[in-house]
Amino acid sequence: MVQEPVGRWTTHPNIPRAGVERHRRLTRPPAWTRRAQWFLGVVGRVLPAVSCGPRRPGGVAVAIGGEEGGAGSLGAATLGGSCLGRGSAVAKIIGNNVKNLQKFASTVKMWVFEETVNGRKLTDIINNDHENVKYLPGHKLPENVVAVPNLSEAVQDADLLVFVIPHQFIHKICDEITGRVPKKALGITLIKSPDSSASFQGIDEGPEGLKLISDIIREKMGIDISVLMGANIASEVAAEKFCETTIGSKVMQNGLLFKELLQTPNFRITVVDDADTVELCGALKNIVAVGAGFCDGLRCGDNTKAAVIRLGLMEMIAFAKIFCKGQVSTATFLESCGVADLITTCYGGRNRKVAEAFARTGKTIEELEKEMLNGQKLQGPQTSAEVYRILKQKGLLDKFPLFTAVYQICYEGRPVTEMLSCLQSHPEHI
């Protein structure tokens, strides 16, 4: 059971009061003039079932001596092609963009964990049929997107790395590629969860509690890391339906470079310097989506679900205010990485879908993952466990009853029906 909250939740010194800061407008710096020696490689990996992978340097010319791109071209490497198609969706965008941008090498190498699909190697299917038939069926990839099964070969000499893998694999991947990419390389992580978007994010537990995926990559590889989070369902991104997303970068010019690489008329990007908040949004929204799914399973109605979303957003903001190392702008939660991704996930995401089945069938999360996700793992329940341990260690469980209830329902046998009592007694209402 969740402890009975004491006092108003909003009286906690680290929890924001009502009102939203005025949204900051960021001024685009001058065009880059000193990148002539950079080569961009895009590495994408497709790991079977549970995992995804990266993509390799963005031009065969750059990586293995082809003629495309030429001196002064940037190459990109994408890590994470199989995660429900997100890596492939991102590779499609990059592949199309680099054809028309002289700054970037024109070939995109995608790191793909080799597996057999209908008697054929997945890399052969991607390279010959130009389609990731297992993880993004029905969407053609540009011919300049090349699947590479060897990770070391894929990232060698890559100057831009795009990480799209389940967060539990990040330590192993970083250990394997450290020292194989240039010291001046830049990275961007889309890691949040195998849920609904083309980007992904996770939380890891370090000695001091909260540790973000970008922190792990930065520490292990010694490179600057930006983050991309937003309401970006992979199939819709691949189908070029309009959507927005957010890039958070501690070095604005690096975030703007990735914006140039990734933005299209139907994939609009805002760059902010509140990188840790952007990254946290991608992880925490999955916990809220599980709560929304419980409400759907209980047939509570849209009003109740709206309350879950609002209270969940309040807890997301509060968590960021307490645990982020840098300054947290409430305005960031109004970007696509915040409220938009939260709404999308609570209505269309896998965490919501499985949580609804959990409430209606009484089966375990593990059973439903096997039945409904083709071997994929949900990040919502797992993230709730990581967040629960951090909150318990800090003595803050009573300040986050929604996060706490999701964990206890998933892992400690707390009845799903108590989701309602959690809402009724939420400190925000006292």
Side-chain angles (χ1 to χ4, degrees):
M1 290 289 292
V2 179
Q3 299 176 4
E4 189 67 17
V6 179
R8 278 188 58 81
W9 185 58
T10 50
T11 60
H12 191 281
N14 289 311
I15 295 176
R17 296 180 182 275
V20 176
E21 304 174 14
R22 183 179 178 184
H23 183 33
R24 306 186 309 276
R25 292 189 176 275
L26 299 171
T27 303
R28 186 184 181 90
W32 284 32
T33 59
R34 299 181 181 178
R35 298 285 178 182
Q37 302 304 317
W38 280 28
F39 295 100
L40 175 61
V42 176
V43 180
R45 170 169 190 177
V46 181
L47 299 181
V50 168
S51 55
C52 289
R55 307 206 174 231
R56 167 185 181 172
V60 170
V62 173
I64 58 177
E67 297 178 356
E68 306 167 31
S73 299
L74 297 175
T78 306
L79 308 153
S82 69
C83 279
L84 303 179
R86 292 177 191 133
S88 293
V90 171
K92 179 181 178 181
I93 290 175
I94 297 175
N96 285 326
N97 279 353
V98 298
K99 292 178 182 178
N100 304 313
L101 297 172
Q102 293 183 352
K103 178 181 292 185
F104 304 104
S106 59
T107 298
V108 176
K109 292 187 179 178
M110 177 171 65
W111 176 49
V112 177
F113 181 86
E114 196 67 273
E115 54 183 311
T116 301
V117 180
N118 298 325
R120 299 173 63 191
K121 292 182 178 179
L122 183 57
T123 52
D124 289 342
I125 296 174
I126 293 173
N127 292 332
N128 293 314
D129 300 344
H130 307 294
E131 181 181 354
N132 187 338
V133 294
K134 181 167 185 179
Y135 298 104
L136 196 68
H139 297 282
K140 288 293 184 180
L141 300 176
E143 292 185 2
N144 61 330
V145 172
V146 179
V148 179
N150 184 283
L151 175 59
S152 297
E153 178 190 346
V155 301
Q156 186 174 2
D157 299 324
D159 290 295
L160 300 183
L161 304 174
V162 182
F163 292 85
V164 193
I165 58 177
H167 78 271
Q168 61 266 34
F169 294 98
I170 196 64
H171 292 274
K172 179 180 179 181
I173 296 300
C174 287
D175 288 341
E176 188 170 345
I177 65 177
T178 296
R180 298 181 181 274
V181 297
K183 294 181 179 180
K184 292 183 179 180
L186 301 176
I188 188 167
T189 171
L190 286 71
I191 302 170
K192 63 187 179 188
S193 78
D195 180 44
S196 65
S197 80
S199 48
F200 346 12
Q201 163 61 38
I203 294 174
D204 195 49
E205 291 177 90
E208 299 178 358
L210 180 68
K211 183 181 285 286
L212 299 174
I213 294 301
S214 62
D215 294 328
I216 297 171
I217 300 172
R218 193 176 293 111
E219 291 172 6
K220 283 184 170 289
M221 299 189 63
I223 63 176
D224 184 68
I225 295 292
S226 300
V227 298
L228 184 151
M229 305 287 149
N232 313 136
I233 296 175
S235 60
E236 294 182 12
V237 171
E240 300 182 17
K241 296 183 179 180
F242 181 83
C243 66
E244 299 174 314
T245 197
T246 310
I247 288 178
S249 185
K250 298 179 186 296
V251 180
M252 283 298 296
Q253 61 184 8
N254 294 345
L256 290 167
L257 177 65
F258 279 111
K259 175 178 179 176
E260 187 174 357
L261 177 68
L262 291 163
Q263 180 163 264
T264 74
N266 286 317
F267 191 66
R268 308 307 290 177
I269 299 173
T270 299
V271 182
V272 301
D273 58 4
D274 199 3
D276 288 349
T277 302
V278 173
E279 192 166 6
L280 263 181
C281 284
L284 298 178
K285 55 95 177 180
N286 290 310
I287 304 177
V288 184
V290 173
F294 290 157
C295 288
D296 287 343
L298 295 172
R299 295 180 173 85
C300 294
D302 288 337
N303 292 339
T304 304
K305 190 169 181 177
V308 169
I309 294 173
R310 189 189 78 85
L311 294 172
L313 180 61
M314 294 296 292
E315 292 194 17
M316 288 170 59
I317 295 172
F319 191 93
K321 289 283 187 179
I322 295 171
F323 291 103
C324 279
K325 300 185 222 30
Q327 182 178 0
V328 173
S329 172
T330 308
T332 301
F333 291 90
L334 299 181
E335 298 290 350
S336 181
C337 63
V339 64
D341 199 10
L342 178 61
I343 293 171
T344 298
T345 307
C346 286
Y347 278 90
R350 288 173 172 262
N351 285 288
R352 185 219 62 82
K353 182 179 179 181
V354 173
E356 178 182 9
F358 178 92
R360 292 185 177 179
T361 66
K363 295 181 179 179
T364 66
I365 293 293
E366 291 75 14
E367 290 172 332
L368 292 170
E369 285 176 335
K370 293 178 182 178
E371 293 178 11
M372 302 173 67
L373 301 185
N374 190 30
Q376 297 282 343
K377 296 290 184 180
L378 291 179
Q379 294 298 69
Q382 185 176 4
T383 302
S384 76
E386 293 161 349
V387 167
Y388 179 87
R389 284 189 283 269
I390 292 171
L391 292 175
K392 185 176 182 180
Q393 180 185 18
K394 301 296 184 180
L396 294 172
L397 291 177
D398 62 321
K399 305 295 183 182
F400 297 86
L402 180 58
F403 288 175
T404 300
V406 168
Y407 164 76
Q408 291 177 332
I409 290 170
C410 288
Y411 295 109
E412 294 187 348
R414 184 177 180 180
V416 181
T417 52
E418 291 196 15
M419 188 71 199
L420 292 177
S421 62
C422 161
L423 302 178
Q424 291 166 346
S425 61
H426 197 286
E428 180 70 9
H429 298 143
I430 298 176

